[in-house]
Amino acid sequence: MKTIMSLAIAGMLALSAANAGNFTEKNSAKAKKIIDLAVEAHGGEALLEQLDTLVIANETVNHSVDQSRGTEPPWDTTENKGYSAIDLENSIFVTQSAGSGGGFENNSATIVNGAESYRLNYRAGTVAKIAEPDFATTSGPFVRVTPPLLVRTLKEREANAHYLGEVEVDGESFHVVGFSMTVGPAINMYFDTKSHVLRRSERMFPNFGLVEYRFDDYEKTDGLPFNKTFTLYLNGDVNVERKITSVTVNQPIDRYTKVDERLASIPPVEPDPLARKELAEGVWLIGGSGTYAMFVDMGEYVFAAGGTGGIPDRIELLREVVGDKPIRYGMLTHHHSDHVLGVSAYEAEGATVIAAKAHERIARRAAEDGERLKVKAVDKRMVLEDGGRRVEILDIGPTAHTEHLLVAYLPDEELIFEADHFSMPRVGPAPPAVTSTQTFAEALARQDIEVSRIASAHSPRVATMDDLARALEAEVFQASR
Ligand SMILES: [Zn+2]
């Protein structure tokens, strides 16, 4: 992708040299001209304006880059089937998806429809009201991958559009127009210089990289061209491959906003601000908004478990109770991208990062200075015994989610800290166990250890072994819709 970007910049510079005097005016006129050609190619202004509702069904394969069981390609995949329905006039958006991968099975939907907005979990058989529905944010991802909606949005916001130049990619040439959306970073759109349809778009995310979308195999439905295939690349690697299986234009979408009456109502998800909870004397679970780490006072030092985002904030809250006691160890549960974000925080504390032997490379890659990072690679088991406390670090893998999984086990407290295998929802009972949970329970049983509570990297609620047993016994409400 570097080639494309540099070509785009080259195009922009060439233009600026030629029109130094009234660059902005000419650039804006050029952008408008490309947008008008695109509007025409995408069905014309009249049809695009008359577009009120749209239902698109898809089959999607996600490539689990840095989220697979192993640490290297080929990556595991997850497969989902679902649909999205939008009513532009009334700001209604519904999206549903069912599938499995990474040790997880899911079947859920989101309905954004003013005061009648819900999150539905067909697998657990529950429905929760959405307290503050947000149409723009929820429908944004769908709009960004649906060319007629994207082109319509571009036309509406053409005052914010810039012509970036003409580029050639893989023997095809494109006009590139950039514009800002209501939510998220600016988007660059590549229009085929011959057909004028949208073939690619790109967005740059700080600290994350380039997200590239491709739209191929256009077919017309009711006069509007829709791509039958969609591919998303992350920093040049295929991340999502989608087939559009059906497109319905301007039909009522009421049936998608109805909530199955058999679903049990559960309370809405409330905001979960950063907080510290003492699980046992000198043992704290600190976190908020879906990510948590466990800290254990070991007398002269602190042992930390969990490597999700926000570790510096969690450490700040820890300091209120342990003062300036050093964090000597920071344990990573596994190698997934969202579980190594804390490496640099532990590195900054001067701590030794504890990781499964197979995950050492990923831990170093996540550090500011990977070569100098202090790493303790664990092969099966490691024990810390200090300040009258015992912590056992056990690799209980493999599971359906990862080949290696470190858990921190406190035998005196009969407490375990884990990630991604079993976490209680913020309210209500645990949903039926997914494969990841089943294999976690089996892995725990293989260890000869006494556990009564499970703290998790993704829940403020500590589970009991009874919770785990109930989840394993619970029946799936509906395997598919
Ligand atoms: Zn994971």
Side-chain angles (χ1 to χ4, degrees), residues 60 141 258 300:
T60 301
K258 291 206 171 64
E300 299 290 304

Side-chain angles (χ1 to χ4, degrees), residues 8 23 29 47 66 87 133 151 202 209 227 232 253 255 325 346 363 388 412 416 430 456 476:
F23 177 78
L47 277 187
D66 291 330
D87 179 335
V151 169
E202 289 167 358
N227 57 301
L232 186 151
I253 67 158
R255 71 186 182 97
K325 208 173 267 195
Y346 293 136
D412 293 339
I416 213 161
S456 151
V476 172

Side-chain angles (χ1 to χ4, degrees), residues 67 334 336 338-339 401 420:
Q67 290 285 343
H334 61 308
H336 289 166
D338 57 326
H339 289 273
H401 184 68
D420 289 355

Side-chain angles (χ1 to χ4, degrees), residues 279-332:
L279 304 183
E281 206 195 328
V283 182
W284 301 273
L285 186 68
I286 307 179
S289 305
T291 58
Y292 311 82
M294 187 176 81
F295 298 89
V296 184
D297 189 336
M298 303 293 291
E300 299 290 304
Y301 65 90
V302 173
F303 163 79
T308 50
I311 295 292
D313 300 344
R314 280 117 184 99
I315 291 175
E316 219 169 279
L317 230 56
L318 170 76
R319 292 278 170 235
E320 291 177 6
V321 281
V322 300
D324 54 10
K325 208 173 267 195
I327 296 174
R328 192 177 290 173
Y329 298 103
M331 182 198 90
L332 304 180

